[in-house]
Amino acid sequence: MIIQKVSDAVSIKRSVESGTEEQRSVVKAIIDDVRTRGDEAVKEYTEKFDRTSLSSYLVSAEEVEEAYERVDAELVDIIREAAANIQSFHEKQLHNSWMTTEKNGTILGQKITPLDSVGVYVPGGLAAYPSSVLMNVLPAKVAGVERIVMVSPPGQNGKLPAAVLVAAKEAGVKEIYKVGGAQAIAALAYGTDTIKPVDKIVGPGNIYVALAKREVFGDVDIDMIAGPSEIAILADSTARANEVAADLLSQAEHDERACSVLVTTSETLAEEVASEVLRQLEELPRKEIASKSIQDFGAIYVANSMDEAINTINQLAPEHLEIIVENAMGYIGQIKHAGAIFIGRFSPEPVGDYFAGPNHVLPTNGTARFSSPLNVEDFQKKSSLIVYSEQALRENKDKIAAFARLEGLEAHARAVEERFKS
Amino acid sequence: MIIQKVSDAVSIKRSVESGTEEQRSVVKAIIDDVRTRGDEAVKEYTEKFDRTSLSSYLVSAEEVEEAYERVDAELVDIIREAAANIQSFHEKQLHNSWMTTEKNGTILGQKITPLDSVGVYVPGGLAAYPSSVLMNVLPAKVAGVERIVMVSPPGQNGKLPAAVLVAAKEAGVKEIYKVGGAQAIAALAYGTDTIKPVDKIVGPGNIYVALAKREVFGDVDIDMIAGPSEIAILADSTARANEVAADLLSQAEHDERACSVLVTTSETLAEEVASEVLRQLEELPRKEIASKSIQDFGAIYVANSMDEAINTINQLAPEHLEIIVENAMGYIGQIKHAGAIFIGRFSPEPVGDYFAGPNHVLPTNGTARFSSPLNVEDFQKKSSLIVYSEQALRENKDKIAAFARLEGLEAHARAVEERFKS
């Protein structure tokens, strides 16, 4: 890793994938086809892309039961404890509906209502991602969403990974379909005979899933389109190079396009981390991915002061931020933009990926400037409540009518005045 | 207006405008051009589309002062009172950052931070829309956004409407540019020498503005793309036909594609409203627009019961909902989807457009199923906070490492274990 001055940090490379023209048109064709032919199209695309032929997409109670037999009891307990932590943290995000009352009879308020139904996409591929199930399902459950549907592409054996099914059951999902790709997103957005449509679709997926979500957005809501994972570590001379290096690599192993950055006030640490990264890299099973990521998107920046370092962090607006400096808590107030902030050397980022409770679905690619971690409010919506009494309207009718006429909207003024005509 | 059975209501026509292929490519070309040539391009497009040549886009303090001389003092007072009501309501939406602590040293929390900068688009055209200024600016101000930039297309005289400037000043806007259309959105998203970029763009506009917002989305955040305005009125035999008709028409005058629907349990009311609409329509200055809207998108539905009527309302998920029935408050719990709910005959919808306090930027076209009124939280974002102590990490390290390995992410497990190596 090349060590640079912090002044170069503003130009940090990050990677956004918006898909090729061909990918976009493939996705659009699949969506149109599922809208037209429904289950029949879903079946064909599953056979084509997932190379499995299923008589039913719905995961049966037996399949879920059987999954428990295929997962270590100890791992089931860990999934349960993680689920409890995640549920507990998200319950603290709940807000009440509220209202204010005035003596003239006016009531104003905000009513909070859960979404009716949500679809959660869980990616397939070689590994199983039970943490993704927990992180996407539990906020919806805590929000009060009645119908939570999970979809995930089946393996060639026609099954879903056991750990995914266990996590789904532990999170309270009762409706799971073995469907993936753009065809799953289309089925969730527009419905088929088998899969009723939902109001919102969340969860990560490959480029086809991401493009499909973008395509159906507006007809249903979606969560953010996630880019490659990122970490920025803010460290001073009190940080240990082996720990910092390990944390940088834990992001790098995710994806060749993952971005791992150290910003430090210590030149010594910078040098030590650079060589530690190379040393630890050699021993990683996902060495190839991590090397490419570090080479293309890794960086170490040396700052002259903590102010300069923090300024750089705010410009990056990283998905994950670790602060490993003396008196770390004292700097939180200066951090403006970060998806999740991990404080101190005993809070490595994987603590948040799996276990602590806050959501691991976080804004990437600098969107922490304006976006938040996935949370309970993403599965609820507000309705304003307005109650004017006769007295309240009488007191204000002339002002409201005058404002309406200022904007050239006569019928608005008359609607108010109609109440006091006779 | 044709009176129909409520069972037909599910098929209510609504209009979504996604632009023609040509409009989309025009918008894309303007954005690319502003990104490349900056102010020069902005100047050319302003001359072309707004037919005015300006030496400076920035509205001067003198221009704002002069605006106050051109607006009735009484109207200035009304704008001030409306602004105070809107500010007061939105202040009640504020939430605190919070944290939880555990005995083992764990701290988990959620930090709330305002966006750095927001751009507010205010549409031009024949009328002035000071209410749009208040409704889009004040939530951002209450949220704590430091830089709020307003843009609006100048008239051929090179000026902005006086009422818009007064509303901007009252709402606390200090940076106003006379730029409109897709060129304004591009300048806000990517910046020029004159206009520094912002993190989020809100506010309504014509189809070119809407398409430009959709195009820059992702690089910056945007609010929802609003469709034509809608009202659904739920009324029983206690409602007065003249008032219900006036309220339907107050939506209809907005736009030929506005949608006004009555759902009632009273056949008598249905018939009376149908003829009242025709009578009042004759006397409206915007008769042509309102007639077309009522003809194409107006409807009266008769339901057999309140349950059936409420079910229809929930299927519509209207932007505005008026409930004018006996014991109206008793039905709020059954309303699942509506942008704003107006209760009783003294709460006509224009009360909310201008004055009461809740936002008039509301989800249209059925998106109240998953979207909320514009609110303070749209101008803030959250960061998760995770602090594990040595004890906390020691207690949980094996579980976290096991979960990471279950997902095939060895470097994640090692990052945790690295802390306890020696």
Side-chain angles (χ1 to χ4, degrees):
Chain A
M1 294 179 92
I2 303 165
I3 299 171
Q4 293 166 269
K5 288 262 177 246
V6 80
S7 52
D8 301 320
V10 287
S11 65
I12 277 182
K13 261 200 304 186
R14 279 190 282 197
S15 159
V16 190
E17 204 171 20
S18 57
T20 63
E21 198 60 54
E22 199 196 324
Q23 286 170 324
R24 280 198 292 272
S25 73
V26 165
V27 163
K28 206 171 171 321
I30 293 173
I31 292 173
D32 289 345
D33 200 13
V34 172
R35 285 187 83 165
T36 315
R37 297 195 299 132
D39 283 332
E40 205 183 323
V42 171
K43 192 176 162 59
E44 283 176 25
Y45 289 115
T46 302
E47 284 170 8
K48 182 174 173 189
F49 297 123
D50 301 313
R51 297 180 189 187
T52 184
S53 179
L54 300 171
S55 56
S56 166
Y57 296 105
L58 187 70
V59 171
S60 66
E62 291 71 39
E63 280 178 275
V64 177
E65 250 173 70
E66 192 223 359
Y68 276 80
E69 291 161 22
R70 287 189 286 147
V71 178
D72 277 359
E74 217 171 283
L75 276 168
V76 173
D77 283 343
I78 295 172
I79 289 173
R80 262 182 206 147
E81 192 175 344
N85 288 348
I86 296 164
Q87 174 147 345
S88 163
F89 183 84
H90 286 81
E91 279 168 357
K92 298 190 178 79
Q93 294 176 329
L94 282 168
H95 293 300
N96 289 322
S97 297
W98 53 262
M99 62 170 196
T100 62
T101 58
E102 289 169 39
K103 283 189 186 153
N104 69 4
T106 299
I107 300 175
L108 301 176
Q110 186 171 282
K111 178 179 185 275
I112 296 175
T113 318
L115 271 59
D116 281 344
S117 56
V118 166
V120 175
Y121 190 94
V122 178
L126 293 177
Y129 298 104
S131 66
S132 187
V133 177
L134 300 181
M135 291 292 184
N136 282 281
V137 169
L138 287 168
K141 184 188 165 199
V142 171
V145 176
E146 273 189 25
R147 180 170 167 252
I148 301 174
V149 186
M150 198 178 100
V151 296
S152 191
Q156 283 188 43
N157 61 358
K159 288 185 178 182
L160 295 187
V164 163
L165 292 180
V166 167
K169 169 89 176 175
E170 293 300 325
V173 182
K174 296 191 184 83
E175 190 179 342
I176 309 172
Y177 298 100
K178 292 179 273 189
V179 185
Q183 60 274 21
I185 303 301
L188 287 173
Y190 303 110
T192 69
D193 287 341
T194 305
I195 304 175
K196 287 211 185 75
V198 300
D199 293 317
K200 181 165 187 163
I201 303 172
V202 299
N206 63 18
I207 182 69
Y208 295 98
V209 171
L211 291 175
K213 279 166 70 181
R214 201 185 284 270
E215 186 70 29
V216 302
F217 176 49
D219 290 327
V220 300
D221 198 15
I222 61 168
D223 60 352
M224 46 199 151
I225 308 279
S229 198
E230 309 155 6
I231 193 168
I233 303 180
L234 172 62
D236 64 12
S237 60
T238 65
R240 284 144 177 87
N242 61 323
E243 297 172 7
V244 171
D247 294 359
L248 291 173
L249 288 171
S250 78
Q251 282 307 301
E253 78 168 338
H254 268 299
D255 190 328
E256 290 182 356
R257 296 169 304 131
C259 176
S260 306
V261 174
L262 168 64
V263 182
T264 178
T265 49
S266 161
E267 240 169 285
T268 316
L269 183 77
E271 281 159 23
E272 286 173 5
V273 168
S275 63
E276 262 294 321
V277 163
L278 293 181
R279 196 187 62 73
Q280 292 184 22
L281 201 47
E282 285 308 311
E283 299 160 12
L284 278 186
R286 293 164 73 95
K287 178 185 160 183
E288 236 170 282
I289 292 170
S291 295
K292 186 110 177 58
S293 155
I294 289 287
Q295 193 178 321
D296 291 350
F297 299 103
I300 297 179
Y301 294 103
V302 177
N304 292 313
S305 65
M306 272 301 280
D307 275 357
E308 201 182 68
I310 287 173
N311 187 37
T312 304
I313 296 295
N314 281 329
Q315 281 179 322
L316 291 174
E319 182 191 14
H320 303 98
L321 170 65
E322 289 184 2
I323 308 184
I324 310 179
V325 301
E326 255 199 306
N327 180 28
M329 285 294 275
Y331 294 102
I332 298 176
Q334 291 179 56
I335 301 299
K336 293 200 290 182
H337 312 304
I341 306 170
F342 298 78
I343 301 285
R345 60 177 283 238
F346 293 105
S347 312
E349 186 270 347
V351 166
D353 279 346
Y354 299 113
F355 199 75
N359 213 288
H360 79 193
V361 180
L362 298 167
T364 53
N365 201 40
T367 59
R369 284 183 294 119
F370 49 73
S371 296
S372 302
L374 190 67
N375 65 86
V376 164
E377 287 172 290
D378 291 323
F379 300 100
Q380 299 178 319
K381 70 271 184 353
K382 304 167 184 106
S383 301
S384 302
L385 193 65
I386 297 172
V387 191
Y388 260 36
S389 63
E390 180 170 358
Q391 189 194 335
L393 190 60
R394 194 180 295 278
E395 282 166 12
N396 296 300
K397 69 178 167 45
D398 295 342
K399 299 175 216 166
I400 297 168
F403 208 141
R405 291 194 170 105
L406 173 65
E407 297 196 348
L409 295 171
E410 177 64 24
H412 281 61
R414 291 190 193 173
V416 173
E417 291 166 348
E418 193 73 27
R419 268 69 183 177
F420 301 96
K421 237 180 163 175
S422 47
Chain B
M1 296 179 91
I2 302 166
I3 299 170
Q4 292 166 271
K5 287 264 177 243
V6 79
S7 52
D8 300 321
V10 287
S11 65
I12 277 182
K13 261 201 303 184
R14 279 188 283 198
S15 159
V16 191
E17 203 170 21
S18 57
T20 63
E21 199 58 56
E22 200 198 322
Q23 286 171 325
R24 280 197 291 271
S25 72
V26 165
V27 163
K28 206 170 170 322
I30 293 173
I31 291 173
D32 290 345
D33 201 12
V34 171
R35 286 187 83 162
T36 315
R37 296 196 300 131
D39 284 330
E40 204 183 324
V42 171
K43 191 176 162 59
E44 283 176 23
Y45 289 115
T46 303
E47 283 169 9
K48 181 173 172 189
F49 296 124
D50 302 313
R51 298 182 188 184
T52 185
S53 179
L54 300 170
S55 55
S56 165
Y57 296 105
L58 187 69
V59 172
S60 66
E62 291 71 38
E63 280 178 276
V64 177
E65 249 174 72
E66 192 222 359
Y68 275 81
E69 291 161 23
R70 286 189 287 146
V71 178
D72 277 359
E74 216 170 284
L75 277 168
V76 173
D77 284 342
I78 294 171
I79 288 172
R80 262 179 207 151
E81 192 174 343
N85 289 347
I86 295 163
Q87 174 147 347
S88 162
F89 183 84
H90 287 80
E91 280 168 356
K92 298 190 177 78
Q93 294 176 330
L94 283 168
H95 293 300
N96 289 323
S97 298
W98 53 262
M99 62 170 195
T100 62
T101 58
E102 287 170 39
K103 282 186 187 155
N104 68 2
T106 299
I107 300 176
L108 301 176
Q110 186 171 283
K111 177 178 186 277
I112 295 174
T113 318
L115 271 59
D116 281 344
S117 56
V118 166
V120 175
Y121 190 94
V122 178
L126 292 177
Y129 298 105
S131 67
S132 187
V133 176
L134 301 181
M135 291 292 184
N136 282 282
V137 168
L138 287 168
K141 183 187 166 197
V142 171
V145 176
E146 271 188 28
R147 179 170 168 253
I148 301 173
V149 186
M150 197 177 100
V151 296
S152 190
Q156 283 190 42
N157 61 358
K159 290 184 175 182
L160 294 186
V164 163
L165 292 179
V166 167
K169 168 90 175 173
E170 293 300 324
V173 182
K174 296 191 184 83
E175 191 180 342
I176 309 171
Y177 298 100
K178 292 179 274 190
V179 183
Q183 61 273 22
I185 302 301
L188 287 173
Y190 303 110
T192 69
D193 288 340
T194 305
I195 304 176
K196 288 211 185 76
V198 299
D199 294 316
K200 181 165 187 163
I201 303 172
V202 300
N206 63 18
I207 182 70
Y208 294 98
V209 171
L211 292 175
K213 280 166 69 180
R214 200 185 285 270
E215 187 71 29
V216 302
F217 177 50
D219 291 325
V220 298
D221 197 15
I222 61 168
D223 59 354
M224 47 198 151
I225 307 277
S229 197
E230 310 155 6
I231 194 168
I233 303 179
L234 172 61
D236 65 10
S237 60
T238 65
R240 284 145 178 87
N242 60 322
E243 297 171 7
V244 171
D247 294 359
L248 292 172
L249 288 171
S250 77
Q251 282 305 302
E253 78 168 339
H254 267 299
D255 190 325
E256 288 182 358
R257 296 167 305 127
C259 176
S260 308
V261 173
L262 168 64
V263 181
T264 179
T265 50
S266 161
E267 237 168 288
T268 315
L269 184 76
E271 280 160 23
E272 286 173 4
V273 168
S275 63
E276 262 293 322
V277 163
L278 294 180
R279 196 187 63 72
Q280 292 183 23
L281 200 47
E282 285 307 311
E283 297 161 13
L284 279 185
R286 292 165 72 95
K287 178 184 159 182
E288 236 170 282
I289 292 170
S291 294
K292 187 111 176 55
S293 154
I294 289 288
Q295 194 179 320
D296 291 352
F297 299 103
I300 297 178
Y301 294 103
V302 177
N304 292 313
S305 65
M306 272 300 282
D307 276 357
E308 199 181 69
I310 287 174
N311 187 37
T312 304
I313 296 295
N314 281 329
Q315 283 180 321
L316 291 174
E319 180 191 15
H320 303 97
L321 170 64
E322 289 184 3
I323 308 184
I324 310 178
V325 301
E326 255 198 304
N327 181 28
M329 286 293 276
Y331 294 102
I332 298 176
Q334 293 179 55
I335 301 298
K336 293 200 291 184
H337 312 304
I341 307 170
F342 298 79
I343 302 285
R345 60 177 284 238
F346 292 105
S347 312
E349 186 269 347
V351 166
D353 279 345
Y354 299 113
F355 200 75
N359 212 287
H360 79 193
V361 180
L362 298 167
T364 53
N365 203 38
T367 59
R369 284 184 294 120
F370 49 74
S371 297
S372 301
L374 190 68
N375 66 86
V376 163
E377 288 172 289
D378 292 323
F379 299 100
Q380 301 178 319
K381 70 273 185 347
K382 305 168 183 105
S383 301
S384 301
L385 193 65
I386 297 171
V387 191
Y388 260 36
S389 64
E390 179 170 0
Q391 188 194 336
L393 190 61
R394 193 180 295 279
E395 283 166 9
N396 296 300
K397 70 176 166 48
D398 295 341
K399 299 176 216 166
I400 297 167
F403 208 141
R405 292 194 170 105
L406 174 65
E407 297 196 347
L409 296 170
E410 178 64 24
H412 282 60
R414 291 190 192 172
V416 173
E417 290 165 349
E418 192 73 29
R419 268 70 184 175
F420 301 96
K421 238 179 162 175
S422 47

